[in-house]
Structures are given as structure tokens and as C-alpha cells.
Amino acid sequence: MIDGLSLPKDELLEMQRRMLRIRLFDERASKMVKRGYIPGTVHTSIGQEAQVVGACMALAKGDHMTGNHRSHGHPIGMGSPLGPLMAELVGKATGVCKGKGGSLHLADYEVGSLGESGITGSSIPIAVGASLSAQVLGEKRVAITFFGDGTANQGVLYESMNLASAYKLPVIFLCENNFYALSTPSHTVTGGRIVDRASGFGMPGVRVENGQDVIAVYNAVREAADRARRGEGPSLVEVMTYRFREHSEGLRINVDYRNAEEKALWTSRDPIILFRDLLIEKGIATADEMDAIDAEIEQEVEDCATFALESPDPDVSVAFEHLYTDDYKLENVL
Amino acid sequence: MSVMTYIGAIGAAQQEAMSADERVIIIGEDVEANVYGTTGGGKQRAEKGDFVEQFGQNRIRNTPISEEAIVGTAIGAAMTGLRPIVDLSYSSFLYMAMDQFVNQAAKNRYMFGGQSSIPVVFRSAMFYGLNTGAHHSDRPYPMFMNVPGLKIMAPATASDAKGLLRSAIDSDDPVLTFEAVPLWGQKEEVPDEEYHIPFGVARTHREGSDITIVGISGSLPLALQAADEMEARGVSCEVIDPRTLVPMDTDTIVRSVLKTGRLVIAEPAHRTCGAAAEIAAIVADKAQHALVAPIKRVCALDMQVPFSPVLEREIYPTKERIVAAIEAVCADQLNQVNRRAS
């Protein structure tokens, strides 16, 4: 049995660091949207940090990941530095995508993040492709794709699961079940349990009931990753979690689609507080050590915001780059 | 030089590319059994010596009937080290994977600031004029010309198909190839050694001074036949095939019209927003002063494809329609010839 708690202390502390990075990065991004520093909007992962970090930390260097529209946590979970991510949200030259992707399209190939997708489900087969290249080239890589409970009803997921299972590809399908597709309660538009769909494709399906427990998520995904790396094929992992904020920042929905009791219950299960308490209780870290990590990440986020705001705007010529790998003549320019 | 069919040239290009680079794989429905005749090393049936035998099942893979997953998987594989050739068989099947073409293949490199390159080729064949009915007869390349980030080739001869496909496989960008099934059996001399034809270079099939005829894909042979007929009637025709539609060698077409002053464009796709419309607009922009007659387009009518052979042949360009278009814009020449004759 895999037990994430038996990992070296520095890895456990790194889990807390990455969860805190996501939390504080997204809180700062939310403020920067309200103040007009970030154009457009953002979708925060606040409340879902354990699900993201537990999964990403279960991977190895060289593995690949594709994400979705709720999209800052995944590259952070893979270990991406914050400055270029925040600069991307602001649309600066120093952005990880040179200011051409924005919040919905972060990607950081340095850490295996192949890209977030604004179209839900669209990036699922991309991860399957990353696992196909691993298989054909005989490399021991695995790939993971994150999608929500809403996207679990997209046909492309099932085409992808079937193909991955038929080829025994080293890929993990991770459903982030936060109970709502925007305002629509998942159970009202979903037949049966998502995790049960795995068996139809001949692959293991595991549901992590407490997705606020970073170790529980780590254990499930690590088992799926080990299995994939052994050549035994794909897995589906469904993680039950909750987003603490609205679907996107600034979105006002007149119908209160989530009741207060439910919200209170889930917000009492803050993954960052839970993990801090666990590490202290098990004697793995002291309160002082955890406080020091809080301060360290607060400073990191402060620095990333400063970096983003002080970075230069992109040169306008960049709008006309990166369409193709070779030179391209734009017909329309007079 | 040796004589090859159009479809044989495609198979030969795939075989050369598979041998040249281990990162090249072929995935698609029924590729292992060589159902469409391009994965059998020149043979029309799967047997000893076919691609599976030669390259192994790790690199020649049948897929489920799941176009969206096939296309997306190929894109992801291309982003992480492979150079897949995806055989989508009928061009009409591309619609099933539209999101992957438009939102992933075309946009990833741009959106991610150049972090990715996507060396993948999506092959499909336009089975038009063969009584396969409305769901199997589409010529949808203009829709994809409207998606920046994709490259598009539409060869009309065997040697072009072979050389362009090699360049497509070597390209680090996603390429869609639209093959014309009515041309599959057409033969042409093809160099014996391996060769590449660069994208964005048109081929002038015959030179002339009175009119420029652009023939695309299956309309090229018709344009050449029409040119033969008109030459005999005293009209000197220049016939150009752009070969690749993105990027397109508009310079060669514009230069030709500056010389001839007249332009007819023939293509098997629908008239509205087709490649012909784009070429007409560019020529109107850049060679308007040289034009002595309106630009004429001979395209498929803006109509769906009916099944009955009697009905289907009403839809597409024919030699006769191209001749009629040439007659309409070359009335002066024809009158002069007639006067001299009388």
C-alpha cells in the first residue's frame, strides 16, 4: 500500500508549499481582476488545492499533464514558478506564454504542463497522445489529464478512455468533482456515478471521497501512476472536492444554487489547514516550521505580483509570431 | 523516373518517411489491413511485405472509430516526440474532430507562446463524383483554410502528392492533406530518388498569354483539357496549380494575370468562400489594373450532393463549364480568330 505520509519530510512540506502557492496566487489574482490589473476574468482553484497538488506530486519528472479552464493550480502543482504565471495573467512580455495565452491557456513545458484548455474536454486526448508517444518511444513517462464533473459528460472523454484502454496507455484520467458544472448540480445532469464508468472501459476506477486530504489524493494517483508506468494501462480517479468561490471571479448569479449549509460544511474542510494540522499532529513538522512556510509563500506571491506588474508589455510584433514554426507571410497587411 | 499512380505515390511517400524517421507512425481506421491502399507498400491488399510487416504494430495502428480522440491523441503525441500521420480516410469525417483541429492543432503553438510544435499530418480523401451520397462526398478544404495555424495541401498529380507529402511529414506544423479520389488512378512520371516539394510554390503546367486558368485538386486535369481545346481555337492558356492552399503561392498567380489580363479558377469545393473566392479577391487587389475581363469561378454549386449519377454530375466543375467560362472572358480573341477564319 502506498502511504504518502511516509514520504520524506521535504516532499510533504513541498505539498503544503504548493497548496499555499495556489491559494495565495489565486487570492491575489482575484484582487487583481477586481482592480483591473488582470484583463478578463479568472477561475480560481481555491478549495481544490489538495486535489491538484496530491495528483501532481504523485507524478515524476518528465511526466506530462493537461488541464482545463480552472487553470492556475495545475502548472503550480507541477512546480511552475509563480512570476511568469502571474505575468501571463496580466498579459506581460514575461508571461509564461509571452502574453498570448492568458488565464485560460497557461502552459509551462519546463514542468510537463502541456496546456490548459478553455474548451472543457478538449485537452483530454492531448494527454492520451503524450502517453502514446511514451509507449511508442519506449519511455517510462506517464500523463495525467484533469477535467471536471461537468466535462465528464463530454463524448471526447469516452472516446479517449476507450482508446487508452485498448492501447493500454500510461495515462490517468482525473475527474475533479466539485459537484457543480458552473451553476448546474452535477447529479441533475449525470447518470450514475462517474467513477463507475471506468469499469465499462476495462480500467480501474477509484473515488477519493475526501478530496480535501492531499495524502488521500496522492495515494490514489500514485497507485494509478505506478500501474501506468508498469505498462498496465490507464485509470480513472474521481476526486470529490469543492470550490470555495464562484465559478469565475466577478460572475454574479442571482440564483443561489449552493445552499449555505453545504458551503459551510465544505469550507470547514480547508485542505491547507487540514494538512498543516496533520503534519503537526504526527510530529512531522512544528507549528513554527509551518508558520515559516506560510511567510515564505506570502512573500513569493507578493514578489510574483510585483514581477508581473513591473514587467514590460509585449512588443506588438509578438501578436504575429508563433502561428507556424517557419516564416509566414500575412496576406492582409497593406 | 518511373510511372506511379497518385495513390501509389502517397503510399510510397509514407513508406519512405516511415523508413527515414522512427518517430513517424501511422494511425487511423483500417490502416493495418491497408483498406485504402496507402499502407501496403504499393500492394493493394495486406500481405507479406505490407507496412505492419515492415514497421511493426507499434508504429502502424488501427484506431477505434473515434475521430475526435484520434485527432487529439495525434496532436498530443506530436507535442511530445512523435511525428504521426493520421489517416482519416474520408474528408467528410473531419467534422467529427473539428474541435481538435481548430482549438488544439491550430492554436496550441500560438496560445502557448511558441512552446509547442505540432508535427502531425492529417490525411483525408475527397471521394466526390463517385456516387457515395451526401455524407461521403465533401470537399471541405476551404473551411480549414479559414483556420490560421493549419497548413493545407491539395495535390493534383502523383509527383506532387509524393513530394508534398514528404514535406508535410517533415513540417513541424500541423498539415491537412486533401487527396482527390477521382485522381487516385492517374499516372505520372515520378523521380526515382527521394524528393521534397516545398509548400507555397505553385506549379505552372503550361504557359500561355491570353488567359490564366487556376486548377485546384481534381479540377486541374479538367482545366488542362479545357486549355487544350481552347488552344486549338486560338486562345493561349496558362494553367497553374497552387498545390498548397496554405501557404498559397499567390505571387505566381498574380504575375500570370499581370501577363494575361484574364483569370478563370476551377475547384471542386463549394463556390461561397472557397479557395477560388480567395484567389479572386487577391488578384482583384493586386492585379486589378491588368484585368481586361471579369474573374470567373467554376466551382461546385452551393448545393448538397445528390446520390443518383445523373444528378451528381450536375454539381461539380466539368471541362465544358471551364470552357464556357473561358469563352465568356475571351470573347475578343475568339472573335478575332473567327474573323481570320472567315
Side-chain angles (χ1 to χ4, degrees):
Chain A
M1 273 306 270
I2 290 158
D3 179 13
L5 260 191
S6 64
L7 285 171
K9 179 179 175 181
D10 61 335
E11 282 188 49
L12 295 171
L13 296 184
E14 182 62 19
M15 283 185 183
Q16 182 74 346
R17 281 195 183 88
R18 290 189 190 183
M19 289 202 289
L20 270 166
R21 280 190 194 114
I22 295 172
R23 171 70 53 91
L24 299 181
F25 180 94
D26 268 351
E27 284 179 353
R28 176 58 67 99
S30 168
K31 280 188 194 137
M32 288 168 71
V33 168
K34 286 192 189 82
R35 290 176 194 163
Y37 292 120
I38 292 176
T41 185
V42 297
H43 303 71
T44 73
S45 299
I46 293 169
Q48 300 185 203
E49 295 90 348
Q51 161 255 304
V52 174
V53 171
C56 291
M57 292 283 292
L59 304 178
K61 196 169 161 46
D63 290 346
H64 289 115
M65 176 280 288
T66 66
N68 50 52
H69 63 290
R70 193 165 304 290
S71 54
H72 312 154
H74 303 124
I76 297 173
M78 295 294 281
S80 205
L82 299 185
L85 294 177
M86 190 61 92
E88 187 62 33
L89 267 52
V90 181
K92 294 300 187 79
T94 54
V96 70
C97 300
K98 302 188 165 65
K100 299 175 73 165
S103 164
L104 282 164
H105 305 298
L106 296 178
D108 186 353
Y109 282 42
E110 288 291 312
V111 297
S113 156
L114 294 179
E116 306 282 331
S117 175
I119 304 295
T120 69
S122 191
S123 60
I124 292 171
I126 304 299
V128 175
S131 70
L132 176 65
S133 69
Q135 187 184 68
V136 171
L137 298 169
E139 296 172 5
K140 287 285 169 206
R141 297 184 266 117
V142 308
I144 190 166
T145 181
F146 293 97
F147 56 91
D149 48 280
T151 304
N153 295 322
Q154 290 266 31
V156 69
L157 171 63
Y158 301 104
E159 289 192 4
S160 299
M161 284 173 69
N162 176 64
L163 190 144
S165 181
Y167 285 5
K168 280 202 168 204
L169 295 176
V171 59
I172 301 156
F173 298 91
L174 192 138
C175 178
E176 318 177 303
N177 189 338
N178 64 16
F179 297 92
Y180 294 89
L182 211 164
S183 73
T184 304
S186 188
H187 69 90
T188 64
V189 291
T190 306
R193 298 196 316 163
I194 291 163
V195 66
D196 293 340
R197 297 174 183 183
S199 65
F201 295 100
M203 69 174 76
V206 211
R207 181 147 125 166
V208 180
E209 297 294 345
N210 184 6
Q212 306 306 83
D213 175 0
V214 68
I215 296 298
V217 177
Y218 175 90
N219 291 345
V221 176
R222 180 63 194 268
E223 193 169 333
D226 288 353
R227 185 177 186 280
R229 235 181 281 280
R230 288 193 304 267
E232 293 169 27
S235 304
L236 172 65
V237 180
E238 180 182 10
V239 181
M240 310 310 283
T241 184
Y242 206 75
R243 70 173 148 75
F244 289 180
R245 301 175 70 105
E246 191 41 273
H247 168 74
S248 60
E249 296 306 290
L251 180 67
R252 287 193 186 79
I253 297 174
N254 291 331
V255 179
D256 190 7
Y257 59 92
R258 304 196 291 187
N259 72 47
E261 209 178 311
E262 174 190 282
K263 261 194 231 177
L265 176 68
W266 276 96
T267 45
S268 73
R269 298 175 185 160
D270 185 318
I272 294 169
I273 295 170
L274 287 173
F275 195 50
R276 175 195 166 96
D277 291 350
L278 180 72
L279 290 179
I280 294 169
E281 183 199 312
K282 296 278 182 189
I284 293 168
T286 63
D288 284 350
E289 281 175 298
M290 299 311 285
D291 288 346
I293 288 175
D294 288 353
E296 175 195 328
I297 304 302
E298 273 168 35
Q299 188 59 49
E300 241 183 78
V301 169
E302 194 60 41
D303 291 347
C304 90
T306 306
F307 172 79
L309 294 172
E310 290 180 355
S311 285
D313 285 332
D315 188 277
V316 290
S317 65
V318 172
F320 308 106
E321 291 176 358
H322 308 121
L323 188 62
Y324 297 102
T325 54
D326 48 15
D327 287 341
Y328 180 65
K329 190 178 93 180
L330 267 180
E331 274 293 350
N332 260 351
V333 179
L334 288 174
Chain B
M1 301 289 264
S2 48
V3 173
M4 247 184 217
T5 60
Y6 182 101
I7 190 167
I10 290 163
Q14 294 200 134
Q15 192 163 31
E16 286 176 8
M18 291 286 294
S19 301
D21 189 341
E22 292 209 327
R23 297 170 300 171
V24 178
I25 63 167
I26 297 177
I27 64 170
E29 294 156 23
D30 305 304
V31 295
E32 291 179 24
N34 189 27
V35 166
Y36 296 97
T38 59
T39 48
K43 294 186 173 64
Q44 289 300 310
R45 294 254 183 279
E47 53 190 89
K48 202 167 180 218
D50 70 3
F51 277 24
V52 177
E53 180 91 1
Q54 195 178 344
F55 302 112
Q57 249 167 339
N58 195 36
R59 293 175 64 204
I60 304 288
R61 291 189 183 220
N62 277 350
T63 59
I65 302 178
S66 307
E67 278 79 8
E68 198 173 0
I70 297 166
V71 171
T73 296
I75 295 166
M79 287 160 67
T80 54
L82 292 180
R83 306 184 79 85
I85 303 170
V86 185
D87 188 339
L88 287 154
S89 63
Y90 289 72
S91 299
S92 305
F93 301 167
L94 299 182
Y95 310 137
M96 301 294 293
M98 210 60 176
D99 173 62
Q100 291 300 319
F101 288 121
V102 177
N103 282 315
Q104 300 291 333
K107 292 179 185 170
N108 277 357
R109 177 175 175 77
Y110 186 85
M111 286 194 307
F112 304 145
Q115 290 185 79
S116 54
S117 60
I118 310 169
V120 55
V121 177
F122 299 105
R123 285 188 43 235
S124 72
M126 305 183 287
F127 279 71
Y128 66 103
L130 300 161
N131 318 124
T132 51
H135 278 183
H136 286 78
S137 304
D138 286 3
R139 293 87 49 225
Y141 56 85
M143 292 183 196
F144 296 90
M145 290 174 69
N146 203 249
V147 182
L150 304 176
K151 289 180 175 175
I152 297 175
M153 56 178 260
T157 75
S159 70
D160 288 350
K162 185 162 182 280
L164 288 171
L165 186 52
R166 288 302 303 276
S167 293
I169 297 164
D170 281 0
S171 167
D172 284 330
D173 298 310
V175 178
L176 272 65
T177 78
F178 289 88
E179 295 154 17
V181 176
L183 303 181
W184 267 2
Q186 298 267 328
K187 291 175 181 164
E188 193 184 21
E189 284 209 325
V190 171
D192 291 321
E193 66 278 10
E194 294 189 22
Y195 65 98
H196 292 67
I197 296 174
F199 274 45
V201 180
R203 175 174 173 186
T204 302
H205 278 266
R206 61 185 290 163
E207 294 189 3
S209 54
D210 292 329
I211 182 166
T212 303
I213 309 170
V214 173
I216 295 167
S217 182
S219 294
L220 175 76
L222 306 175
L224 287 167
Q225 289 163 25
D228 278 344
E229 184 175 325
M230 294 311 291
E231 199 79 37
R233 293 167 61 188
V235 178
S236 168
C237 303
E238 183 144 302
V239 180
I240 297 171
D241 175 5
R243 302 196 288 192
T244 61
L245 301 172
V246 181
M248 196 197 288
D249 180 5
T250 51
D251 289 350
T252 293
I253 298 169
V254 167
R255 241 189 343 262
S256 176
V257 176
L258 289 173
K259 177 175 71 175
T260 64
R262 295 177 182 81
L263 176 62
V264 166
I265 312 152
E267 68 165 330
H270 291 137
R271 180 181 175 90
T272 299
C273 298
E278 183 59 26
I279 292 168
I282 287 169
V283 168
D285 184 18
K286 299 198 169 153
Q288 191 268 339
H289 57 285
L291 286 169
V292 295
I295 299 167
K296 290 287 177 193
R297 284 176 285 161
V298 185
C299 306
L301 303 180
D302 287 337
M303 188 60 59
Q304 292 304 346
V305 174
F307 165 67
S308 168
V310 174
L311 302 176
E312 186 178 5
R313 62 173 170 253
E314 293 299 313
I315 301 296
Y316 311 115
T318 57
K319 182 195 80 175
E320 290 71 25
R321 288 188 181 131
I322 298 171
V323 165
I326 299 168
E327 285 171 340
V329 295
C330 290
D332 289 354
Q333 275 92 341
L334 290 166
N335 286 339
Q336 276 174 17
V337 172
N338 289 343
R339 271 199 298 277
R340 277 202 296 273
S342 58

